[in-house]
Each structure stands twice: as C-alpha cells, then as structure tokens.
C-alpha cells in the first residue's frame, strides 16, 4: 500500500510540474518579443484567474495531501474525485490541440493527459483495494 501511495503522490507532483511547464511554455514567446496577450482590453477576468488557480494549484495540492496523509475510505474517495477532475481536464485540454494548434504545447499536453489518466486509474485501484489489505 505504501508503494501505491508514493506512486500516486509522484503522479500528483508530476501534474503540478506539468502545469508549471505548461505556463512557462506559454510565456516563452516573450523572449522573441512576441505578443502573448489574449485580449487587448487590459482587463483580466477574475473568474478565469480563480478557476485556473484552483485547477492548477489547489486541486493538485489537495490531491497530493490525500495521497500522502488520507486515512480510510473518505480520503481515497476525495483523492479519486480530484484525480478524475484533473484527468478529465487534461484530456479536454489536449483536445484543444485539434481546434487551435499550438506547437509549443505538442509535447506537454499529451504527457499531462497520460499522467492524468494514470493518476485516475491508480486512485481507482486504491479505492477498490481499501478492504483487501
């Protein structure tokens, strides 16, 4: 069981690193004086900022804490739900490569989708094995 918890914690850390690399990759065009602004209004939608901070930081941290410290079925259920949300988001975000191709993201998005799927699968396995240990 300890090995499974460490693997799940590693996958959560990989998700967090993937979000950081994704952000850095989006900012790289600045080095070539390219415009990276989404809109010219200068206004930042607060709702989108809160959503992205929640998705890219708070959920992975909560999932990591569930993987490392949660005891019993409730912690595993919470970890499974969080991993499904992250896995689904990574898959949907990967689908954006087909609608608006961004060559900078061609490596990181598929890797994050695979890690998200592995994370959800591992969380499901841990949840199914709760009574068998």
């Amino acid at each position: 069981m300890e090995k499974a918890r460490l693997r799940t914690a590693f996958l959560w850390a990989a998700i967090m690193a993937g979000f950081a690399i994704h952000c850095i990759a989006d900012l790289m065009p600045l080095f070539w004086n390219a415009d990276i602004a989404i809109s010219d209004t200068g206004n930042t939608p607060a709702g989108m900022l809160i959503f992205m901070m929640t998705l890219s930081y708070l959920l992975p941290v909560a999932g990591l804490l569930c993987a490392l410290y949660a005891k019993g079925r409730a912690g595993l259920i919470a970890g499974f739900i969080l991993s499904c949300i992250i896995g689904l988001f990574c898959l949907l975000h990967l689908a954006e490569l087909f609608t608006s191709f961004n060559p900078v993201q061609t490596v990181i998005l598929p890797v994050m989708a695979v890690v998200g799927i592995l994370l959800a699968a591992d969380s499901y396995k841990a949840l199914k094995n709760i009574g068998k240990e």
Side-chain angles (χ1 to χ4, degrees):
M1 185 63 181
E2 189 63 29
K3 186 177 179 182
R5 287 175 87 102
L6 289 176
R7 177 182 157 102
T8 304
F10 174 77
L11 290 172
W12 276 114
I15 287 288
M16 293 173 79
F19 279 129
I21 292 168
H22 176 52
C23 180
I24 291 169
D26 277 343
L27 296 175
M28 283 180 70
L30 286 175
F31 291 109
W32 293 274
N33 202 24
D35 187 21
I36 63 166
I38 293 173
S39 72
D40 294 333
T41 63
N43 297 328
T44 305
M48 181 59 83
L49 285 175
I50 292 169
F51 173 74
M52 291 310 296
M53 283 183 61
T54 300
L55 191 69
S56 63
Y57 179 72
L58 294 176
L59 289 183
V61 167
L64 183 60
L65 292 174
C66 282
L68 291 175
Y69 300 111
K71 303 278 191 242
R73 190 166 178 82
L76 290 175
I77 289 172
F80 175 66
I81 290 170
L82 293 172
S83 68
C84 286
I85 292 169
I86 290 293
L88 183 62
F89 176 77
C90 289
L91 280 174
L92 292 174
H93 199 40
L94 173 66
E96 286 182 18
L97 279 179
F98 299 110
T99 58
S100 60
F101 182 73
N102 183 353
V104 175
Q105 302 296 343
T106 54
V107 175
I108 191 64
L109 291 180
V111 170
M112 286 199 55
V114 168
V115 171
I117 291 168
L118 288 174
L119 181 61
D122 281 5
S123 297
Y124 179 73
K125 267 193 260 182
L127 188 58
K128 287 306 235 185
N129 293 332
I130 185 69
K132 298 176 184 174
E133 44 193 57

